[in-house]
Amino acid sequence: MRAVIVAAAVAFLISLFGTPVAIRVFTALKAGQPIRSIGLASNEGKKGTPTMGGVAFIVATVLAYVAGHIALTTLPERQIAQEGPTMTALVLLGLFIFCGVVGFLDDFLKVRRRNSDGLSAKGKLIGQALVAGGFGIAALYVASTNGQTVASEHISLIRDISWLDVGKVGSVMAFVFVITAMSNGVNLTDGLDGLATGASVLVLGAYALIGFWQYRHWCADATYARANDYCYQVRDPLEIAMIAAAAAAACLGFLWWNTSPARIFMGDVGALGLGGLMGGLAVATRTTLLSILIAGLFVLITITWVIQIVSYRTTGRRVFRMVPLHHHFELAGWSEVNIVVRFWIVAGVSVAVGLGLFYSDFLAVMG
């Protein structure tokens, strides 16, 4: 537990005090966010606000992970057994960083061209798929000494579903889908000050709790496994908890500067990076289908966006005033702050229900 707390504390402090440095740097580089003129009140006055702020919380998370491992050297032998970096950490942090790189390229092109046209949608998807495919192969084909891999050949809900065996190739394809869907979901949500950042804190916090709970009831822990019939077949759950807690705390520190009126935007570097990490956490904790509920706000915004696109292209009619969904409510007269807080509530309820189902499964088996 100490390592998780240390990682979270270090991430929060680095992000809280490092983000103002990022604000000054990106302002000096004239890396202002190009704003589309689409008639929304929330866009007024935002032109020129520095973007690419996701770099701050990505760096904070990586440094905090290192600090967490330094803290491990003071812990009992049972916890020192997870000294790393492990393949789980390489996959999760790799997704965070390299999905962020794809987003960084998009942000860089927007800033350089001084308009909102960055990477093409096709180019962005190809970049995400290449990153997800590479780390998906590592997650499926690189096993630990006991044969455990980061990802599984089964589709999972709260643990692997035994009859949903899709094989390694199918699992890599599912991995790519989860990562690209989640990263684009966070990207779509990142449209109002603090909205995606606050929701990400909740989702990442949930995965920190799940990872630590799995660590405390881990099949690789011989002491626990001998005394109980139920344990979690995952790889390196303490690593999962440390990275998720560090990322949640880093986002919380960033939120101090990103909340309305935002001093800096996370940009695609932050949104795609966060989505990639969340997708990786879902796969690593064997909660792929449960992540639909845990990340419910991101899923809802993605689904409504798809509905709007399909409806308009097939019937010529719009279901919503505008997508992503938060803009629909802006045009309905809601203030930006009201939308953000209410959407945070939706995200919090989704996380709470998801965690409740995760824990109820444990109680059902143990009872």
Side-chain angles (χ1 to χ4, degrees):
M1 184 65 173
R2 188 185 309 173
V4 177
I5 294 174
V6 167
V10 170
F12 175 75
L13 292 173
I14 292 176
S15 183
L16 181 64
F17 295 106
T19 300
V21 176
I23 293 172
R24 290 194 292 272
V25 169
F26 289 126
T27 299
L29 293 174
K30 301 186 186 309
Q33 174 71 51
I35 303 295
R36 289 185 302 162
S37 180
I38 52 179
L40 294 174
S42 65
N43 285 348
E44 296 177 9
K46 291 188 178 184
K47 185 176 181 180
T49 302
T51 187
M52 304 188 197
V55 171
F57 55 70
I58 291 175
V59 171
T61 301
V62 174
L63 294 177
Y65 170 76
V66 175
H69 271 282
I70 293 173
L72 278 176
T73 60
T74 66
L75 297 178
E77 183 179 355
R78 172 173 171 264
Q79 294 184 335
I80 291 177
Q82 274 202 310
E83 287 185 355
T86 64
M87 181 52 63
T88 301
L90 292 176
V91 168
L92 294 179
L93 292 177
L95 287 169
F96 200 15
I97 293 168
F98 286 97
C99 284
V101 169
V102 176
F104 182 86
L105 292 174
D106 188 47
D107 289 331
F108 176 78
L109 291 174
K110 290 176 182 177
V111 170
R112 185 177 181 180
R113 296 169 179 171
R114 301 298 176 186
N115 60 46
S116 58
D117 296 325
L119 285 174
S120 65
K122 182 178 179 180
K124 195 181 297 186
L125 282 173
I126 290 174
Q128 292 169 307
L130 289 174
V131 171
F135 285 105
I137 290 171
L140 264 295
Y141 287 87
V142 181
S144 62
T145 54
N146 65 357
Q148 188 74 50
T149 55
V150 177
S152 167
E153 295 182 35
H154 297 79
I155 302 298
S156 58
L157 176 59
I158 297 174
R159 51 183 178 272
D160 285 342
I161 302 172
S162 58
W163 53 271
L164 277 179
D165 186 343
V166 295
K168 288 191 175 182
V169 175
S171 187
V172 171
M173 293 174 63
F175 190 94
V176 171
F177 175 78
V178 170
I179 300 305
T180 55
M182 193 71 79
S183 58
N184 284 302
V186 178
N187 197 25
L188 287 171
T189 306
D190 183 33
L192 299 180
D193 294 351
L195 176 56
T197 309
S200 296
V201 171
L202 295 170
V203 174
L204 292 167
Y207 274 111
L209 292 173
I210 288 173
F212 190 74
W213 184 262
Q214 291 178 332
Y215 172 65
R216 299 300 299 175
H217 306 86
W218 190 23
C219 293
D221 181 355
T223 303
Y224 178 83
R226 281 197 301 268
N228 298 275
D229 294 328
Y230 182 81
C231 58
Y232 293 97
Q233 287 282 2
V234 296
R235 179 171 175 175
D236 311 316
L238 185 59
E239 295 280 271
I240 293 170
M242 274 201 297
I243 292 170
C251 286
L252 192 62
F254 180 78
L255 184 60
W256 183 273
W257 308 100
N258 182 235
T259 193
S260 183
R263 296 274 306 279
I264 188 170
F265 301 137
M266 70 166 67
D268 279 17
V269 59
L272 297 188
L274 284 172
L277 175 60
M278 290 178 202
L281 289 167
V283 173
T285 56
R286 309 293 194 267
T287 58
T288 303
L289 296 179
L290 186 66
S291 69
I292 296 173
L293 186 54
I294 293 175
L297 177 65
F298 301 126
V299 174
L300 174 64
I301 288 177
T302 303
I303 289 174
T304 54
W305 181 84
V306 171
I307 290 173
Q308 181 86 326
I309 298 300
V310 171
S311 175
Y312 187 74
R313 290 183 177 178
T314 56
T315 69
R317 297 180 180 178
R318 292 181 173 86
V319 178
F320 306 98
R321 291 181 174 91
M322 184 181 290
V323 289
L325 187 60
H326 36 274
H327 294 323
H328 166 84
F329 289 103
E330 277 193 282
L331 292 177
W334 292 20
S335 71
E336 180 176 9
V337 172
N338 277 342
I339 296 169
V340 170
V341 172
R342 288 168 180 170
F343 275 39
W344 282 352
I345 292 172
V346 172
V349 171
S350 295
V351 164
V353 174
L355 287 175
L357 289 175
F358 177 82
Y359 186 60
S360 65
D361 173 78
F362 178 83
L363 291 180
V365 174
M366 294 298 292

